[in-house]
Amino acid sequence: MERREFKAESKRLLDLMVNSIYTHREIFLRELISNASDAIDKIYYKALTDESLSFNKDEYYIRITPDKENRILKISDTGIGMTKEDLENNLGVIAKSGSLQFKKENELKDGYDIIGQFGVGFYSAFMVADTVTVISKAFGSDEAYKWESRGVDGYTIEPCTKDSFGTEITLKIKENTEDENYDEYLEEYRLKSIIKKYSDFIRYPIKMNVTGRKLKEGSENEYEDYIEEQVINSMIPIWRKNKSELTEEDYHKFYSEKHYGFDKPLKYIHTSVEGNISYKAILFIPEKTPYDFYTKEYEKGLELYSNGVMIMNKCGELLPDYFSFVKGIVDSEDLSLNISREILQHDRQLKLIAKNIKSKVKSELESMLKNERDKYETFYKSFGRQLKFGVYNDFGANKDVLQDLLMFYSSKEKKMVTLGEYVSRMAEDQKYIYYATGESIERIEKLPQTEVVLDKGYEILYFTDDVDEFAIKMLMNYKEKEFKSVSSGDLGIETEESKNSEEQNKENKDLFDAMKNILSDKIKEVKASNKLKHHPVCLSTYGELSIEMEKILSAMPDGGNIKADKVLEINTNHSVFKALKGAYDNDKDKLSLYTELLYNQALLIEGLSINDPVEFTNNICKLML
Ligand code: ADP
Ligand code: MG
């Protein structure tokens, strides 16, 4: 018999399972039962959609059989079974490469309950067993096969016999070690409690023979053992239970059983809707951003059941992209089982459910924002970016849904505030909602452009995310107040500086023109600043495209040639300005030198790179000589 190698990735995971000094080994049972239940789901689904088949509920169950003497634990099911190819493909490769990826990334973070919280599936059997044997006969096939493995050294597959279709997994339980007791996985009471704990909601009976004691017949003091078959699980899925019967812990347990995330959910929403459309749903808002959330690999969606039968494990149509972080399940009697993916996309009922879910999630988030501010801020830290993308995407079609959920850091409050809060505090003479963009709060606080606005006592929102300004441009205004970057040419503020700057522009037209000539097309215009107080120079922009947007666009492929229309603003009250004037009158070379220097300084303040750093430093040296 030929021994085959596991695929490289599987080998690593397997190695981890076998050698892990893991404390939650008991979850292997949850994983194997969940696979068995999936296998029965598949056959149930077949029977419901194929009229030539009938589904007799009594014939479908999972059986757990411990054999203490021989250290064997069997898990068998009457599910769809596996062909030879299935055994090869499904058990020879790791199904969820995502969990391995996750494992890799978190390997060093100690104490992370990765295996417990995240599904590793079939391989978890090796946490408790030396040898794993899988005998399976696929539905509709006459042949049965035996797959066997002792771990990393590979596996074998050979033909065997099996009466009925389904799968039987035999675990040869490890011998106890000094610090690990494996015997417990052969004890009835322990197995019972593990099943209750993790698999109570499984919809098919999990049967086990349980030993009881009773009085010997005809005797008054002699007892005897008897064996009785029991169904261990209650079989009622959690979403069918009454909210009042459930505790927060039940929902949290469900969240981790379903592998929705490795965190605890921030919020759960359990709804039951009757009317035009009927469905039950449990939705979760996670606390932490999944490791792949902001990548292309992340797939949004909810589990979809039709009257208790799973029809899809990730139905993306149920969630708008901006709520793609929501996890959970939806069960509706109004959906046909025979529905295909393509048809489902256009299904009227499904659209109705999706619409309901969207407004439910929205109102839950709004109430979290109102009543549980800290929680909301935690949520926003993890998923706020997604909401902002939501405002920006689809040409702003969803901005009304989302605008009240946005938050930005405030110069005044020194914490996150909503747009509503900002507007409610605006000064009477304040025309705009001001914002400043930059890499971090610390950097924005140092921006010279903020001086005038802050001096005026106005609040500034700090935009530190790439998407912020794009989203706000899409929003255009909030409660009829327009947004204004502190770097824009016209701030709409009447100040000494702005009155002064117009005069100065006239008075120094020749100087500014000369400077503009020196800088040529690097700049649109040089002018007297209306916003600087203590700094000598800064950049501002004309039009819609800001410097921050230029930076982001030029970092994208094809975006390289998009440039903001930049204005070099000079503080005419600064002593540097006198030096400029002096140079203009007496020494044209010096004017060139000063102009280049000031321009490069302004670039650096903006976080832009300067064209020729060597020349820049040489120029500074020239000043010293
Ligand atoms: P997952 O359940 O997430 O797909 P697992 O590692 O638990 O990953 O299982 C891998 C695959 O092996 C399953 O997707 C399924 O196709 C197959 N499988 C495992 N156990 C059974 C079983 N009892 N009956 C039928 N197929 C099974
Ligand atoms: Mg599984």
Side-chain angles (χ1 to χ4, degrees), residues 368 372-379:
M368 199 200 282
E372 298 171 289
R373 182 80 172 211
D374 287 350
K375 229 181 202 185
Y376 189 80
E377 285 186 28
T378 305
F379 156 76

Side-chain angles (χ1 to χ4, degrees), residues 89-353:
N89 295 332
N90 300 340
L91 306 184
V93 234
I94 171 167
K96 282 194 192 134
S97 59
S99 49
L100 188 71
Q101 177 67 24
F102 178 77
K103 172 74 192 68
K104 265 194 288 195
E105 283 174 15
N106 291 280
E107 209 142 28
L108 300 172
K109 294 184 199 161
D110 47 13
Y112 234 135
D113 191 2
I114 292 149
I115 303 163
Q117 311 277 4
F118 224 90
V120 283
F122 174 75
Y123 290 150
S124 60
F126 288 99
M127 293 200 292
V128 298
D130 295 321
T131 308
V132 177
T133 311
V134 181
I135 289 178
S136 197
K137 187 175 186 179
F139 176 75
S141 163
D142 299 328
E143 299 162 351
Y145 286 91
K146 182 167 109 179
W147 180 102
E148 193 165 79
S149 169
R150 301 171 57 82
V152 257
D153 60 341
Y155 59 91
T156 55
I157 296 181
E158 60 184 314
C160 67
T161 54
K162 187 176 186 310
D163 290 341
S164 51
F165 56 81
T167 303
E168 180 182 282
I169 298 181
T170 304
L171 306 178
K172 177 87 180 140
I173 299 293
K174 291 182 185 181
E175 293 295 338
N176 287 344
T177 62
E178 229 171 79
D179 25 46
E180 199 68 50
N181 172 18
Y182 294 99
D183 286 355
E184 55 180 303
Y185 305 119
L186 297 161
E187 299 288 352
E188 281 171 16
Y189 74 93
R190 181 75 173 104
L191 292 167
K192 248 173 101 165
S193 88
I194 300 175
I195 295 165
K196 270 275 174 213
K197 183 167 169 192
Y198 295 108
S199 311
D200 195 54
F201 69 96
I202 293 287
R203 291 182 312 117
Y204 308 100
I206 302 171
K207 297 179 179 179
M208 190 165 90
N209 285 343
V210 177
T211 317
R213 291 214 102 187
K214 62 174 184 197
L215 270 181
K216 223 173 182 166
E217 220 167 298
S219 159
E220 279 179 16
N221 49 16
E222 266 186 286
Y223 287 86
E224 63 178 1
D225 285 350
Y226 71 98
I227 291 180
E228 176 193 51
E229 186 185 86
Q230 280 184 6
V231 173
I232 312 293
N233 54 328
S234 76
M235 290 190 278
I236 304 170
I238 175 169
W239 59 90
R240 294 246 171 138
K241 289 188 185 166
N242 232 321
K243 267 187 261 186
S244 57
E245 298 170 52
L246 295 161
T247 63
E248 179 170 29
E249 206 200 327
D250 291 324
Y251 292 103
H252 287 187
K253 238 165 56 188
F254 181 68
Y255 182 85
S256 66
E257 272 158 14
K258 283 288 188 181
H259 309 318
Y260 288 148
F262 53 88
D263 53 352
K264 279 213 159 52
L266 205 57
K267 181 129 213 140
Y268 61 84
I269 306 163
H270 188 170
T271 57
S272 177
V273 174
E274 312 262 334
N276 262 349
I277 178 105
S278 305
Y279 67 89
K280 294 182 168 32
I282 296 184
L283 308 172
F284 293 98
I285 296 171
E287 179 185 349
K288 300 206 174 93
T289 331
Y291 68 93
D292 60 351
F293 186 67
Y294 289 111
T295 71
K296 276 211 182 73
E297 274 68 54
Y298 183 81
E299 208 189 319
K300 65 167 182 173
L302 299 175
E303 265 179 89
L304 185 61
Y305 283 70
S306 162
N307 209 4
V309 185
M310 200 224 279
I311 48 181
M312 207 179 284
N313 69 17
K314 251 191 191 156
C315 180
E317 283 75 28
L318 283 169
L319 291 174
D321 280 343
Y322 49 85
F323 289 156
S324 62
F325 46 83
V326 176
K327 307 272 183 186
I329 96 112
V330 174
D331 188 355
S332 171
E333 302 152 15
D334 300 333
L335 292 169
S336 148
L337 269 175
N338 270 313
I339 214 156
S340 76
R341 249 213 125 92
E342 291 68 38
I343 295 170
L344 195 64
Q345 288 182 1
H346 307 292
D347 189 74
R348 207 177 58 85
Q349 312 283 3
L350 193 82
K351 282 196 171 140
L352 264 176
I353 299 177

Side-chain angles (χ1 to χ4, degrees), residues 31 34-35 38 121:
E31 296 297 324
S34 135
N35 285 349
D38 289 349

Side-chain angles (χ1 to χ4, degrees), residues 538-598:
C538 73
L539 288 176
S540 65
T541 48
Y542 276 138
E544 282 303 292
L545 200 65
S546 72
I547 288 172
E548 211 55 34
M549 292 165 92
E550 174 189 312
K551 271 192 249 171
I552 294 157
L553 291 172
S554 58
M556 302 202 295
D558 313 331
N561 285 324
I562 302 167
K563 292 267 178 255
D565 288 338
K566 303 187 192 69
V567 178
L568 184 67
E569 295 197 11
I570 309 286
N571 183 351
T572 49
N573 296 319
H574 201 282
S575 43
V576 158
F577 183 62
K578 285 194 201 93
L580 271 175
K581 265 167 102 166
Y584 177 66
D585 293 337
N586 306 316
D587 184 344
K588 291 279 142 51
D589 281 348
K590 215 168 211 170
L591 180 70
S592 251
L593 176 68
Y594 287 0
T595 304
E596 288 286 351
L597 273 173
L598 287 173

